[in-house]
Amino acid sequence: MADVPAMTLPELEAALDAMVHERYNQAESDEEADGMALAAQDLEYLQTRIRCLEASLSAANNEVAWIAPAARPTPAQALRRIKAICGRFPDLYSAMLVVVATHPAVSRDMLAMAVKQFRKDTEALSPEDVKSLLVSIVNGGNQAFDAILRTRKNGDRKSAAIPWAKD
């Protein structure tokens, strides 16, 4: 086997996505694509998949850097994360709250399309409706946060009726 130059995790993910699109586009999940590649003994795909997993593990010490406002995930990375979030949270509000909080650099239009793709409970909503829901989560949260902060800064605090809940 020839030596392959080291690739970054985004490059490996992009290469893997390209192989899936080119060779296993009928697969409905990553697991199904992996199974198809294994059955076909597609060594190039399997080696790329292993390198991708190894790169993911080595990047684990910096696992939340992708949330930072300056982070620019690839569309494939963002979609994979949004799909996982949408599948993990049973209620729409929680899923959308986590999606919008963890993808601050992604446009609301793109987030709305992704949420609509992965949440069946948004089928009756237009993409504009889903975008409006995302915006309302952010704006409502910001307004409530600012209101509480204003009242706590400027207002007198009442003493707590519970002795263990003192300032």
Side-chain angles (χ1 to χ4, degrees):
M1 242 186 213
D3 250 355
V4 179
M7 295 173 71
T8 65
L9 181 57
E11 291 170 335
L12 287 165
E13 288 175 336
L16 196 62
D17 286 340
M19 284 186 227
V20 168
H21 183 69
E22 179 182 304
R23 302 172 190 175
Y24 309 107
N25 61 0
Q26 68 274 17
E28 293 184 17
S29 67
D30 291 341
E31 292 79 19
E32 190 176 346
D34 292 348
M36 293 169 80
L38 188 59
Q41 296 182 354
D42 186 345
L43 297 180
E44 181 186 14
Y45 173 91
L46 295 170
Q47 184 178 30
T48 304
R49 179 77 168 128
I50 290 168
R51 286 190 175 152
C52 191
L53 292 170
E54 288 172 341
S56 293
L57 286 174
S58 69
N61 64 350
N62 198 13
E63 68 185 41
V64 294
W66 62 272
I67 298 173
R72 298 285 181 234
T74 65
Q77 290 170 325
L79 277 175
R80 204 173 283 125
R81 290 180 188 125
I82 292 168
K83 180 179 181 181
I85 291 167
C86 286
R88 185 167 300 247
F89 291 88
D91 66 298
L92 181 60
Y93 175 80
S94 295
M96 291 180 78
L97 176 65
V98 174
V99 165
V100 78
T102 57
H103 293 82
V106 179
S107 76
R108 302 290 185 256
D109 289 318
M110 299 306 281
L111 289 179
M113 288 190 301
V115 168
K116 196 151 172 48
Q117 179 180 351
F118 300 123
R119 293 292 302 211
K120 291 197 181 292
D121 47 1
T122 61
E123 286 177 356
L125 302 172
S126 72
E128 193 60 36
D129 291 339
V130 177
K131 178 184 171 187
S132 295
L133 288 172
L134 289 167
V135 170
S136 73
I137 289 170
V138 172
N139 290 345
N142 285 338
Q143 290 169 358
F145 180 85
D146 289 342
I148 291 170
L149 192 58
R150 268 193 315 275
T151 60
R152 297 306 185 258
K153 277 185 185 175
N154 301 331
D156 291 332
R157 289 186 172 237
K158 295 180 177 153
S159 62
I162 316 167
W164 64 85
K166 294 182 181 177
D167 288 337

